[in-house]
Amino acid sequence: MIICKSERELSYMRDAGRVVAETFAELERSVKVGISTGELDLLAEDFIISKGARPAFKGLYGFPATICASLNEEVVHGIPGLRKLKDGDIISIDLGAEINGYYGDSAITFPVGDVSSEAMRLIGVTEEALYLGIDRARAENRLSDISYAIQSHAEKSGFSVVRDYVGHGIGSSMHEEPQVPNFGKPGRGPRLKEGMTLAIEPMINMGTYEVRTLSNNWTVVTLDNKLSAHFEHTVVITGGEPEILTQINRRRPER
Ligand code: MG
Ligand code: MG
């Protein structure tokens, strides 16, 4: 069942989303050559707790940290640790926060230092695909209109869309119905309604869309070890423009 949220529920989700956005603003200042993914994790955890929220990933399905930190060919679910960021890396950070029983979820891929132009293009196209998908998240559209917008933009740019991991409904749980694939024909799936809340999250690969999981049972990497990027926002379907909950500024930031 897809749950349409009440105004009261949406106000809790706005609070959770704002904490996630503010945490990313903190992280963005710290993503630099030489910092370890574990240090970024601690920074995010301390910040979320200082805002009266709870790091939502920690303990979720047994995940051991506050952020997922996925470098280069890692797609999602990288575990933070001692590894230090190097010049030319790209790092996908995914994180969630919970307040009053409601969740926010977002992801950003950051370039570290001087990154190749092809890696920058992958990051740019993935972020654009997210915003094109969000633009289709409107009442009376069908769910797969979002999927189609994301897939067409990624593929016409020469990249591929991960199939094994998808976006999701979100609210009083981190993962609710429906699944939100980043691929598929338009005009399929449930009709979108005001008050539905979705985490839309394209994962876009430079080479093959196929992925595998490392022996730590968490980290997902591309099968061909080429780069992958990931952007995500939690959004509400309204009577008009979709409302992005995990963004401090209403407008898309220029990169
Ligand atoms: Mg996420
Ligand atoms: Mg998510």
Side-chain angles (χ1 to χ4, degrees), residues 24-46:
F24 271 111
E26 289 292 305
L27 286 170
E28 185 158 24
R29 280 193 279 277
S30 301
V31 169
K32 287 195 174 80
V33 173
I35 194 166
S36 72
T37 54
E39 288 171 309
L40 292 171
D41 184 62
L42 272 184
L43 190 154
E45 177 164 338
D46 288 347

Side-chain angles (χ1 to χ4, degrees), residues 174-244:
M174 175 62 83
H175 298 117
E176 292 183 350
E177 286 182 45
Q179 292 200 342
V180 185
N182 299 301
F183 55 93
K185 294 190 165 74
R188 309 274 170 93
R191 202 169 286 286
L192 302 177
K193 291 195 167 49
E194 231 175 295
M196 287 180 179
T197 42
L198 303 176
I200 302 173
E201 49 176 317
M203 289 147 264
I204 308 293
N205 294 351
M206 203 172 265
T208 179
Y209 66 80
E210 290 181 281
V211 299
R212 67 186 176 93
T213 304
L214 297 185
S215 58
N216 66 13
N217 287 325
W218 278 109
T219 313
V220 176
V221 298
T222 56
L223 201 59
D224 57 11
N225 288 319
K226 292 188 178 172
L227 297 180
S228 184
H230 183 202
F231 280 84
E232 174 178 28
H233 274 310
T234 298
V235 305
V236 187
I237 289 146
T238 73
E241 294 276 314
E243 181 184 349
I244 302 175

Side-chain angles (χ1 to χ4, degrees), residues 9-238:
E9 292 180 295
L10 288 177
S11 77
Y12 292 149
M13 291 189 71
R14 285 188 189 101
D15 291 342
R18 187 179 315 109
V19 171
V20 171
E22 289 171 352
T23 308
F24 271 111
E26 289 292 305
L27 286 170
E28 185 158 24
R29 280 193 279 277
S30 301
V31 169
K32 287 195 174 80
V33 173
I35 194 166
S36 72
T37 54
E39 288 171 309
L40 292 171
D41 184 62
L42 272 184
L43 190 154
E45 177 164 338
D46 288 347
F47 185 83
I48 290 169
I49 291 169
S50 78
K51 294 290 168 180
R54 183 178 68 82
F57 287 4
K58 202 163 189 175
L60 185 69
Y61 314 118
F63 189 75
T66 292
I67 66 169
C68 296
S70 307
L71 281 156
N72 301 324
E73 77 283 1
E74 297 172 355
V75 180
V76 287
H77 305 162
I79 300 175
L82 298 174
R83 199 161 154 197
K84 289 188 158 90
L85 303 189
K86 295 194 310 287
D87 191 44
D89 281 343
I90 66 172
I91 180 171
S92 301
I93 300 179
D94 191 352
L95 70 93
E98 177 258 313
I99 297 185
N100 288 318
Y102 286 82
Y103 289 81
D105 185 11
S106 180
I108 297 179
T109 299
F110 297 101
V112 181
D114 198 11
V115 162
S116 76
S117 59
E118 196 55 3
M120 283 309 289
R121 197 171 73 85
L122 176 71
I123 291 174
V125 165
T126 307
E127 187 175 25
E128 286 159 11
L130 169 62
Y131 281 89
L132 290 167
I134 290 173
D135 190 58
R136 305 309 297 154
R138 290 168 187 266
E140 297 313 313
N141 280 355
R142 303 284 286 269
L143 183 74
S144 77
D145 295 337
I146 299 170
S147 318
Y148 178 74
I150 291 169
Q151 182 177 22
S152 6
H153 187 62
E155 291 184 352
K156 86 169 176 345
S157 311
F159 300 134
S160 72
V161 172
V162 171
R163 307 293 201 269
D164 292 2
Y165 297 86
V166 297
H168 49 95
I170 178 169
S172 59
S173 302
M174 175 62 83
H175 298 117
E176 292 183 350
E177 286 182 45
Q179 292 200 342
V180 185
N182 299 301
F183 55 93
K185 294 190 165 74
R188 309 274 170 93
R191 202 169 286 286
L192 302 177
K193 291 195 167 49
E194 231 175 295
M196 287 180 179
T197 42
L198 303 176
I200 302 173
E201 49 176 317
M203 289 147 264
I204 308 293
N205 294 351
M206 203 172 265
T208 179
Y209 66 80
E210 290 181 281
V211 299
R212 67 186 176 93
T213 304
L214 297 185
S215 58
N216 66 13
N217 287 325
W218 278 109
T219 313
V220 176
V221 298
T222 56
L223 201 59
D224 57 11
N225 288 319
K226 292 188 178 172
L227 297 180
S228 184
H230 183 202
F231 280 84
E232 174 178 28
H233 274 310
T234 298
V235 305
V236 187
I237 289 146
T238 73

